[in-house]
Amino acid sequence: MKHYIIAKFKDRADTEKLLPEITALFQKTLDLDGVENVTIHKSNSTRDNRYSIMIEMDLSPEGLEAFDASEVHRQWKATYGDRLESKAIFDCD
């Protein structure tokens, strides 16, 4: 399945500044059982109504459960949650 985290930073400068550390954080999910691939997409638009990044994960249903319970997920929320203006989560086959 595909799991998408689509996020918009309050400060648009955070997109460039935080992208390397967010990428490094999510690379750790590849150590979780059921997580097959992670790709971070940065928006190519500077329009105010656009989201900043999209985290795309390929995983099994068990991989999603492992991710939700992981230290990476807790760190993502704790470190970046307050920096986000909004986010959307989308899962599909």
Side-chain angles (χ1 to χ4, degrees), residues 4-85:
Y4 297 94
I5 304 167
I6 306 165
K8 182 177 183 181
F9 291 110
K10 292 174 186 174
D11 181 348
R12 298 298 278 203
D14 280 350
T15 304
E16 291 295 330
K17 183 172 70 174
L18 300 175
L19 189 63
E21 65 190 62
I22 291 170
T23 300
L25 176 65
F26 274 85
Q27 287 300 306
K28 295 176 186 177
T29 64
L30 296 172
D31 294 334
L32 300 171
D33 287 339
V35 177
E36 300 167 12
N37 190 42
V38 176
T39 306
I40 312 277
H41 303 273
K42 182 182 75 140
S43 177
N44 63 2
S45 176
T46 58
R47 294 181 181 191
D48 286 338
N49 66 340
R50 299 298 195 263
Y51 279 69
S52 309
I53 62 169
M54 180 173 70
I55 302 163
E56 176 185 359
M57 301 176 75
D58 294 299
L59 37 67
S60 66
E62 296 80 17
L64 180 56
E65 292 297 323
F67 170 66
D68 283 346
S70 73
E71 180 59 31
V72 171
H73 191 233
R74 285 189 291 279
Q75 188 175 350
W76 161 251
K77 290 175 130 185
T79 304
Y80 304 102
D82 288 345
R83 294 176 179 257
L84 300 180
E85 179 179 318

